[in-house]
Amino acid sequence: MSSEDKKHITLVHGAGGKAMHELVKRYILKYFSTRAVEPSVPVPLGALDDAAVVGDTVFKSDSHAVKPIFFPGGDIGRLAVCGTVNDIAVLGAEPVALACGFILEEGLPFSDFEKILSSMKKACEEAEVNVVTGDTKVVEKGALGGCVINVSGMGKRTEALEHNLAVVRKYRPSFKARWVLDSNLRAGDKIILSGTLGDHGLAVLSAQEGITFGSSIVSDVKPLNHMIKRLLGEVGGILAMKDPTRGGLADALNEWNQKSHIGILIYEDRIPIKPDVRAACEMLGIDPLEVGNEGKIIIGTVPEKTEQILETLKSTEEGKDAEIIGEATDEFDAVAMQTVVGGKRIIAQPLGDPIPRIC
């Protein structure tokens, strides 16, 4: 960033990665997370997990300004619902209700608005959750690129989560956490990626730039709460989960590294990436590990349950391409990748997602 950029907010501050995290920590937490943690808020804003916990309720708010509002495989409405549902689910909770705020641009065709609403309804039906309240505003033409949507949601503890935690404590008796959190990893824990990387980001980029890449790359956007609930309730042993959205896998793993204070080693030859996505990234000079996803999660597990979790994942449509991609380690304090040529390279936290306005 130039010295001038440091004086103002830029697009990179909303693209995940290092710049966005610095914005949150330097400014937002300065005003909203300075007091000691309240007993009634066991997972507060300052924990910077994908959602917060108030009492036994998980709470999340997420805004979406994807450009364009329609893209291969999805649209801003489906994205808004799935993003909030997945952020609630990765803490181990079951989403129970959503609130939706629409900021519509003057001139948006009613036909487009109905397409978005229909898409949201379908995503809600898939996730089995309802929009129960909300708000609508309209701003002048040319301000938004169509619309911006905020979806907030609440989630509750489930028997599936309790089963999962009981399994974790069977193998790690000292484990005290009551939720699935970024800070739960320890040396030896394994890391699973639920599917291929980069599909969503490249799909949005193709719509932004009118590039087809000679293939049909489509977004992976989907609700993952049913898949997650099955993993927790039927198998267990899950310590941490995260959806690698803005900033991609590289940013998500660096968050785990920083919050769990543990090194992470991944293996290049185990990371699932579709050939057309890999080719497009190579053509554009983009690292697929830094590209955002909207229908994938990374999962940190106790070693004893890793293979069973993988087997269960592969039996689902959402997790059919899952792979064990690495493990937590105390041999170093960074995120590193074992390359196919035999060496290791550091996977640094990206400054931001290389593709702007993907969510």
Side-chain angles (χ1 to χ4, degrees):
M1 272 190 207
S2 68
S3 58
E4 188 64 25
D5 285 341
K6 293 179 179 179
K7 298 178 181 179
H8 306 280
I9 291 174
T10 67
L11 279 175
V12 75
H13 288 108
K18 186 176 181 180
M20 190 188 75
H21 293 303
E22 288 181 350
L23 172 74
V24 172
K25 292 174 182 176
R26 183 174 179 181
Y27 294 98
I28 297 174
L29 294 189
K30 174 181 176 182
Y31 293 94
F32 298 121
S33 190
T34 56
R35 294 182 299 172
V37 175
E38 300 280 352
S40 61
V41 188
V43 184
L45 175 64
L48 296 179
D49 272 274
D50 284 0
V53 178
V54 181
D56 265 349
T57 299
V58 173
F59 183 67
K60 172 66 180 179
S61 183
D62 207 351
S63 298
H64 290 83
V66 63
K67 182 180 180 181
I69 58 176
F70 299 100
F71 48 85
D75 58 56
I76 190 171
R78 180 172 181 81
L79 185 63
V81 170
C82 294
T84 297
V85 164
N86 293 343
D87 279 349
I88 291 170
V90 293
L91 263 72
E94 179 180 351
V96 294
L98 303 178
C100 179
F102 294 104
I103 304 178
L104 308 175
E105 183 181 305
E106 179 186 19
L108 177 72
F110 278 110
S111 58
D112 284 354
F113 189 38
E114 283 214 286
K115 288 179 186 177
I116 292 167
L117 293 170
S118 177
S119 182
M120 293 180 74
K121 178 183 177 182
K122 186 174 185 298
C124 285
E125 289 171 349
E126 292 173 29
E128 296 185 66
V129 66
N130 293 312
V131 173
V132 298
T133 188
D135 181 57
T136 305
K137 298 289 189 297
V138 178
V139 298
E140 62 275 10
K141 188 177 182 63
L144 295 177
C147 68
V148 168
I149 300 176
N150 174 276
V151 173
S152 300
M154 298 186 300
K156 64 180 181 179
R157 294 186 72 85
T158 63
E159 291 181 3
L161 174 61
E162 301 300 348
H163 172 266
N164 176 74
L165 297 176
V167 174
V168 170
R169 294 182 185 114
K170 175 181 176 181
Y171 299 103
R172 187 175 295 170
S174 62
F175 186 79
K176 302 298 183 185
R178 298 185 67 245
W179 299 94
V180 178
L181 302 174
D182 294 347
S183 55
N184 287 345
L185 292 180
R186 300 294 180 265
D189 295 335
K190 303 299 182 183
I191 297 171
I192 299 173
L193 174 62
S194 71
T196 55
L197 289 181
D199 305 316
H200 174 72
L202 268 295
V204 173
L205 180 63
S206 72
Q208 289 175 352
E209 304 298 333
I211 305 172
T212 63
F213 304 115
S215 64
S216 56
I217 299 174
V218 298
S219 172
D220 59 349
V221 58
K222 60 177 66 73
L224 301 175
N225 54 312
H226 295 314
M227 179 191 77
I228 289 171
K229 187 175 181 179
R230 181 178 172 190
L231 295 175
L232 297 171
E234 293 184 14
V235 187
I238 293 175
L239 300 153
M241 289 186 286
K242 198 168 194 68
D243 52 342
T245 53
R246 290 170 294 173
L249 180 66
D251 186 60
L253 292 176
N254 271 277
E255 284 198 65
W256 276 3
N257 159 249
Q258 295 162 18
K259 296 174 188 176
S260 288
H261 306 290
I262 197 72
I264 294 175
L265 178 65
I266 59 174
Y267 299 90
E268 185 176 20
D269 60 353
R270 300 183 191 175
I271 299 173
I273 303 173
K274 292 177 180 175
D276 50 0
V277 171
R278 188 184 298 276
C281 287
E282 289 176 355
M283 179 181 74
L284 298 169
I286 293 174
D287 186 346
L289 272 62
E290 297 181 1
V291 176
N293 313 268
E294 290 292 344
K296 308 292 166 36
I297 55 170
I298 51 173
I299 306 169
T301 76
V302 295
E304 296 85 353
K305 302 298 289 186
T306 304
E307 291 292 343
Q308 189 179 353
I309 290 170
L310 180 65
E311 180 182 354
T312 303
L313 266 174
K314 284 183 171 292
S315 71
T316 69
E317 179 61 28
E318 302 93 332
K320 62 185 180 182
D321 297 317
E323 297 290 346
I324 302 167
I325 64 167
E327 62 263 343
T329 177
D330 56 10
E331 294 183 6
F332 50 81
D333 183 18
V335 179
M337 181 167 70
Q338 181 75 47
T339 67
V340 293
V341 297
K344 290 186 179 73
R345 74 175 178 92
I346 296 295
I347 304 297
Q349 188 170 39
L351 183 63
D353 197 291
I355 303 171
R357 289 187 67 173
I358 63 166
C359 64

